[in-house]
């Protein structure tokens, strides 16, 4: 390919001399000649030359009108030619972008080919240099963009002085300060005073840590106060030999909050399981007591004074049963009787009792929504939530105050810490029940322990610490959550979120109303591993006219079934028994021989799975412990006559 040369010269003689000299170049040359500045500009625009030979003086201007300026901006090399030497002019031309300055003479023109070759070599070096600078600039811009767009806060410090020399955008955001405010500060000033020495240790020898996590600390921010961070630091050597320290600060406040909430949820779940287990065993004891009380009260030979004592004992037993029910509700072991509930109507019906509960010194306000707030819930459990929260609000206002109850339909997502399965985290429609008071409020330490069972701020003997824990358990069981907002001295607002549900057919239940003892004459196979419960259940059934065959576990029950199965008319079994052989397992074995065998299963608690299985089966009734003689015999009559509650819609 020919070398493209442009000669800008208005002297034909000089132009001819240059043309002759170029013949000595070892490569082909394409020479164009322009005699004016205007013609030169046109020629350059038409085709960019590889090199330009430029006369200083032209008819319509000077070389300064053609020279490109700084060498970094030049698109081609330029050699300036002049008829006489002028150092000032030569310097000016070189500053304006010329690669060389030659005085026209026979000698210089004869050696111009050597000059051109030298300039071309120099120009090649100018182009490697340009590319290097461009690459460096691009790399610097890319690194600075990564630096500024990083998710973590970055602080660049001088290892000798400890002063901050640069920060990224996230550092400004973390500290609530501008780059100008941060640059020049000592790195120890980022931290609380008591952590200054630790900060100096972190940055004193960062190369020993190779950029790994070396500390968990706090920074003192302008807007957020103290913020927990994880810090890693490393020494970086720059191209000029200078060293800097790069400190990376990761804001872990949100992660710490989620970890605390997760630990709290796990702790609550573990305590709930423990509470459910304790309540299960306690219900067996209460069942035995209630059945024995029923037997004694039905004995006409009991003197009236002893009968009165038995009545008091029965009342105390029921109080114990209610305490156990709260434990089961907290542990989500109490089976819920779910049905469509209009929350506003439930609250309206509850207002009269709530006002008696809180007294005259507290004003209770509730305004129902014009549209219904339907949830699918156990009405008695929802009432328990409301009562517990209202009582909690009342206790926070010993001198009187105001409680406001509101309901609203909202679209939101369940908080991560309340989610049991991934599908639950999706946004949905919820009914928000808010109970706000003007009481003493709570500080952060109290808020953290608020839903822990047996935690109370009341005096000894004035609270069980189960009210809010029970509400927590019920809400969790109904696939909702509770949000609490409070400050010391500024009251509190408890917000309960329950899934919105359209009205549907309600499931009928046996209710909690008083029932008479029902007699019978059938043969009952009673399977119960607790000897005391089995004994008093058997006595109660026999007193009501039933024939009872007893077994302490599944294996013994099958032995009785194999010997007397033709006589058994109903199976009455505990759900949970030793050796992993449940009452439902026993019922399925016996129904292989007698598919129509009526089954009555009892338990101190029932999980959701067994509850759903029972509701799908025919001739199966569930009886919650503890129970008295009336509930026991009524449940037996129900299962024997085939009058079962309607299945869940």
């Amino acid at each position: 390919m020919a070398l493209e040369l442009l000669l800008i010269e208005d002297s034909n003689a000089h132009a001819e001399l240059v043309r002759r000299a170029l013949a000595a170049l070892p490569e082909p040359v394409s020479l164009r000649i322009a005699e004016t500045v205007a013609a030169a500009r046109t020629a350059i625009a038409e085709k960019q030359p590889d090199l330009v030979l430029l006369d200083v003086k032209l008819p319509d201007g000077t070389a300064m009108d053609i020279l490109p300026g700084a060498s970094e901006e030049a698109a081609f090399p330029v050699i300036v030619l002049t008829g006489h030497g002028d150092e000032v002019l030569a310097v000016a031309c070189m500053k304006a972008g010329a690669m060389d300055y030659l005085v026209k003479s026979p000698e210089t023109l004869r050696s111009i080919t050597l000059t051109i070759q030298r300039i071309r070599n120099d120009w090649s070096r100018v182009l490697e240099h340009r590319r290097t600078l461009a690459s460096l600039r691009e790399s610097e811009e890319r690194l600075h963009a990564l630096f500024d767009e990083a998710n973590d806060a970055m602080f660049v410090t001088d290892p000798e002085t400890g002063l901050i020399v640069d920060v990224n955008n996230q550092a400004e955001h973390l500290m609530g300060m501008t780059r100008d405010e941060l640059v020049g500060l000592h790195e120890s000033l980022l931290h609380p005073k008591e952590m200054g020495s630790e900060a100096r240790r972190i940055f004193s020898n960062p190369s020993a840590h190779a950029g790994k996590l070396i500390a968990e600390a706090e920074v003192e921010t302008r807007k957020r106060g103290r913020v927990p961070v994880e810090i890693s630091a490393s020494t970086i050597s720059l191209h000029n030999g200078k060293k800097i320290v790069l400190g990376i600060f990761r804001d872990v406040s949100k992660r710490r909050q989620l970890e605390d909430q997760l630990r709290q949820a796990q702790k609550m779940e573990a305590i709930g399981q423990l509470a459910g287990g304790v309540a299960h065993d306690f219900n067996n004891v209460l069942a035995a007591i209630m059945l024995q009380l029923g037997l004694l009260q039905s004995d006409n030979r009991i003197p009236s004074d002893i009968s009165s004592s038995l009545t008091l004992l029965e009342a105390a037993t029921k109080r114990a049963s209610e305490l156990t029910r709260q434990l089961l509700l907290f542990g989500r072991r109490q089976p819920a009787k779910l049905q469509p509930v209009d929350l506003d109507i439930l609250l309206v019906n509850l207002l009269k009792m709530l006002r008696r509960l809180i007294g005259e010194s507290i004003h209770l306000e509730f305004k129902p929504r014009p549209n219904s707030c339907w949830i699918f819930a156990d009405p008695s459990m929802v009432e328990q939530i409301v009562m517990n929260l209202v009582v909690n609000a009342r206790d926070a206002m010993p001198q009187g105050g105001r409680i406001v109850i509101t309901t609203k339909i909202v679209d939101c997502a369940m908080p991560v810490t309340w989610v049991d399965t991934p599908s639950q985290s999706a946004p949905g429609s919820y009914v928000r029940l808010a109970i706000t008071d003007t009481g003493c409020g709570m500080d952060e330490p109290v808020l953290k322990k608020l839903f822990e069972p047996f935690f109370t701020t009341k005096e000894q003997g004035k609270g069980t610490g189960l009210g809010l824990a029970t509400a927590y358990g019920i809400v969790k069981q109904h696939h909702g959550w509770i949000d609490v907002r409070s400050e010391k001295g500024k009251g509190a607002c408890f917000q309960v979120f329950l899934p919105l549900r359209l009205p549907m057919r309600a499931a009928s239940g046996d209710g909690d109303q008083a029932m008479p003892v029902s007699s019978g004459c059938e043969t009952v196979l009673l399977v119960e591993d607790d000897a005391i419960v089995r004994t008093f259940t058997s006595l109660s059934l026999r007193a009501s006219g039933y024939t009872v065959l007893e077994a302490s576990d599944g294996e013994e029950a099958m032995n009785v079934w194999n010997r007397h199965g033709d006589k058994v008319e109903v199976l009455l079994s505990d759900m949970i028994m030793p050796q992993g052989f449940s009452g439902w397992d026993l019922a399925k074995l016996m129904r292989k021989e007698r598919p129509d065998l009526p089954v009555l299963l009892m338990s101190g608690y029932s999980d959701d799975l067994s509850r759903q299985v029972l509701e799908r089966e025919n001739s199966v009734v569930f009886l919650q412990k503890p129970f008295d003689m009336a509930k026991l015999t009524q449940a037996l009559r129900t299962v024997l006559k085939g009058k079962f509650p309607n299945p869940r819609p």
Side-chain angles (χ1 to χ4, degrees):
M1 182 178 294
L3 176 65
E4 290 287 338
L5 289 181
L6 175 62
L7 174 60
I8 307 173
E9 173 63 71
D10 62 336
S11 170
N12 293 332
H14 285 163
E16 183 59 26
L17 290 174
V18 171
R19 185 193 302 274
R20 292 177 183 178
L22 292 177
L25 284 172
E27 56 188 312
V29 176
S30 173
L31 179 64
R32 293 180 293 161
I33 300 176
E35 297 181 354
T36 63
V37 171
R41 288 174 175 169
T42 300
I44 292 171
E46 290 176 351
K47 189 173 185 179
Q48 182 171 301
D50 294 323
L51 185 142
V52 171
L53 299 172
L54 174 61
D55 190 16
V56 170
K57 293 182 179 180
L58 296 168
D60 58 346
T62 68
M64 294 299 181
D65 298 320
I66 303 294
L67 289 170
S71 60
E72 290 81 5
E73 301 172 358
F76 44 81
V78 177
I79 300 174
V80 174
L81 303 175
T82 182
H84 60 279
D86 187 334
E87 290 186 2
V88 175
L89 181 60
V91 170
C93 289
M94 298 297 285
K95 287 184 177 180
M99 293 289 290
D100 205 346
Y101 182 91
L102 301 178
V103 177
K104 297 176 185 178
S105 68
E107 291 78 14
T108 57
L109 290 178
R110 281 195 296 269
S111 62
I112 196 168
T113 56
L114 296 176
T115 303
I116 290 175
Q117 290 176 331
R118 176 176 57 79
I119 294 302
R120 291 190 67 194
N121 290 333
D122 291 345
W123 183 250
S124 296
R125 287 192 290 272
V126 167
L127 295 179
E128 184 183 17
H129 182 63
R130 284 188 183 179
R131 284 193 293 268
T132 300
L133 290 178
S135 178
L136 287 173
R137 279 195 295 267
E138 181 182 354
S139 177
E140 182 179 346
E141 290 172 358
R142 183 166 58 248
L143 288 174
H144 204 275
L146 292 172
F147 179 70
D148 263 342
E149 296 302 320
N151 291 328
D152 295 325
M154 295 184 177
F155 297 85
V156 179
T157 65
D158 186 316
E160 296 181 1
T161 64
L163 298 180
I164 298 172
V165 296
D166 199 5
V167 298
N168 68 348
N169 291 340
Q170 195 61 32
E172 293 181 284
H173 177 72
L174 172 66
M175 300 303 299
M177 301 169 67
T178 65
R179 181 180 269 103
D180 290 340
E181 291 175 312
L182 288 167
V183 171
L185 294 180
H186 194 276
E187 78 260 358
S188 62
L189 297 179
L190 301 175
H191 305 275
K193 290 183 179 179
E194 65 272 18
M195 295 184 181
S197 59
E198 175 67 11
R200 284 189 291 274
R201 183 192 68 80
I202 293 171
F203 286 92
S204 62
N205 188 22
S207 58
H209 309 290
K212 297 180 180 178
L213 174 65
I214 56 176
E216 292 186 359
E218 291 180 337
V219 290
E220 191 72 60
T221 68
R222 176 171 290 174
K223 296 179 181 179
R224 298 164 57 196
R226 294 190 175 191
V227 175
V229 292
E230 290 178 346
I231 304 176
S232 59
S234 57
T235 300
I236 299 176
S237 297
L238 302 180
H239 66 279
N240 59 5
K242 186 178 180 181
K243 292 184 177 181
I244 59 172
V245 176
L246 175 64
I248 301 176
F249 289 50
R250 175 162 293 178
D251 183 350
V252 294
S253 55
K254 290 184 179 179
R255 191 182 76 194
R256 293 275 180 87
Q257 183 181 14
L258 289 175
E259 288 173 350
D260 290 343
Q261 291 175 343
L262 181 59
R263 280 193 292 269
Q264 175 72 1
Q266 291 173 335
K267 180 169 62 175
M268 297 292 286
E269 183 66 23
I271 295 176
Q273 292 178 356
L274 174 63
V278 171
H280 171 258
D281 293 338
F282 193 46
N283 272 338
N284 282 334
V285 177
L286 291 177
I289 295 173
M290 293 174 73
L291 290 171
Q292 178 65 359
L293 284 172
L295 288 171
L296 292 173
Q297 288 173 327
S298 63
D299 191 339
N300 295 327
R301 297 171 298 174
I302 298 295
S304 60
D305 56 339
I306 295 180
S307 180
S308 299
S309 298
L310 292 176
T311 302
L312 292 175
L313 183 59
E314 181 183 28
T317 305
K318 288 182 177 179
R319 286 179 59 193
S321 175
E322 179 59 28
L323 181 61
T324 308
R325 181 174 179 270
Q326 286 195 10
L327 283 172
L328 288 171
L329 288 173
F330 166 72
R332 293 188 286 164
R333 300 297 190 269
Q334 177 74 24
K337 300 173 183 177
L338 301 180
Q339 64 186 63
V341 176
D342 185 333
L343 184 57
D344 282 345
I345 293 179
L346 180 145
L347 291 170
V348 168
N349 293 334
L350 199 59
L351 283 178
K352 187 174 181 181
M353 184 181 69
L354 291 176
R355 288 194 171 101
R356 288 200 304 266
L357 194 66
I358 62 178
E360 297 180 355
S361 63
I362 296 176
H363 174 70
L364 178 62
E365 179 182 335
F366 172 63
K367 294 181 180 180
R369 287 167 38 85
N371 299 320
S372 300
C373 290
W374 287 97
I375 57 177
F376 196 52
D378 185 320
S380 62
M381 290 186 176
V382 177
E383 289 177 353
Q384 186 80 40
I385 295 172
V386 177
M387 290 175 61
N388 288 356
L389 295 181
V390 168
V391 167
N392 184 73
R394 178 202 65 187
D395 294 342
M397 300 182 289
Q399 307 302 321
R402 183 166 171 257
I403 299 175
V404 178
I405 302 177
T406 60
T407 58
K408 186 177 182 180
I409 298 175
V410 296
D411 290 323
C412 55
M414 180 180 290
V416 174
T417 51
W418 286 76
V419 172
D420 291 326
T421 61
S423 61
Q424 287 179 260
S425 61
S429 296
Y430 292 84
V431 174
R432 184 184 67 194
L433 165 66
I435 298 179
T436 307
D437 65 66
T438 58
C440 58
M442 295 167 282
D443 55 21
E444 192 64 28
V446 172
L447 286 171
K448 288 183 177 180
K449 295 185 175 182
L450 197 57
F451 296 111
E452 291 186 7
F454 310 112
F455 172 76
T456 179
T457 58
K458 299 173 185 175
E459 298 177 12
Q460 184 72 28
K462 290 192 176 182
T464 63
L466 282 176
L468 294 180
T470 299
Y472 177 100
I474 296 174
V475 172
K476 185 79 171 177
Q477 189 173 0
H478 283 73
H479 307 295
W481 74 93
I482 304 178
D483 177 63
V484 185
R485 300 177 183 180
S486 180
E487 292 183 33
K488 194 70 175 177
K490 296 184 179 181
C493 178
F494 286 77
Q495 297 184 102
V496 178
F497 294 82
L498 297 172
L500 177 68
R501 292 289 186 271
L502 295 177
M504 55 181 72
R505 182 169 60 90
S508 61
D510 51 10
D512 294 324
Q513 66 272 18
M515 298 177 292
V517 175
S518 300
S519 60
C521 59
E522 290 84 0
T523 298
V524 180
L525 174 53
L526 170 62
V527 188
E528 170 61 65
D529 61 292
D530 190 293
I532 297 177
V533 177
R534 186 174 67 251
T535 298
F536 287 118
T537 302
S538 179
L539 288 173
S540 299
L541 292 174
R542 290 190 175 102
S544 300
Y546 293 93
T547 300
V548 182
L549 302 174
E550 298 183 33
S552 61
D553 55 35
E555 184 178 352
E556 187 177 347
M558 288 305 300
N559 292 333
V560 174
W561 175 260
N562 292 332
R563 295 195 306 270
H564 307 290
D566 56 332
K567 297 178 182 178
V568 174
E569 296 172 85
V570 60
L571 171 65
L572 171 58
S573 175
D574 191 21
M575 273 290 295
I576 309 299
M577 291 187 293
Q579 302 171 349
F581 199 6
S582 71
W584 178 236
D585 294 332
L586 184 62
K588 288 190 290 185
L589 284 176
M590 294 180 177
R591 280 190 166 183
K592 288 182 179 179
E593 299 180 30
R594 292 258 304 279
D596 59 344
L597 176 68
V599 176
L600 176 59
L601 297 176
M602 53 185 175
S603 180
Y605 67 86
S606 171
D607 59 30
D608 293 337
L609 177 61
S610 63
R611 186 72 174 169
Q612 293 170 7
V613 169
L614 294 176
E615 289 180 347
R616 290 198 302 265
E617 296 296 325
N618 294 324
S619 306
V620 177
V621 166
F622 177 79
L623 181 61
Q624 178 72 41
K625 293 179 180 178
F627 47 77
D628 54 21
M629 285 183 64
K631 287 186 177 180
L632 172 62
T633 56
Q634 284 287 348
L636 272 175
R637 297 324 305 164
T638 297
V639 73
L640 284 166
K641 293 180 179 179
K643 297 179 179 179
F644 308 106
N646 293 330
R648 211 181 270 181

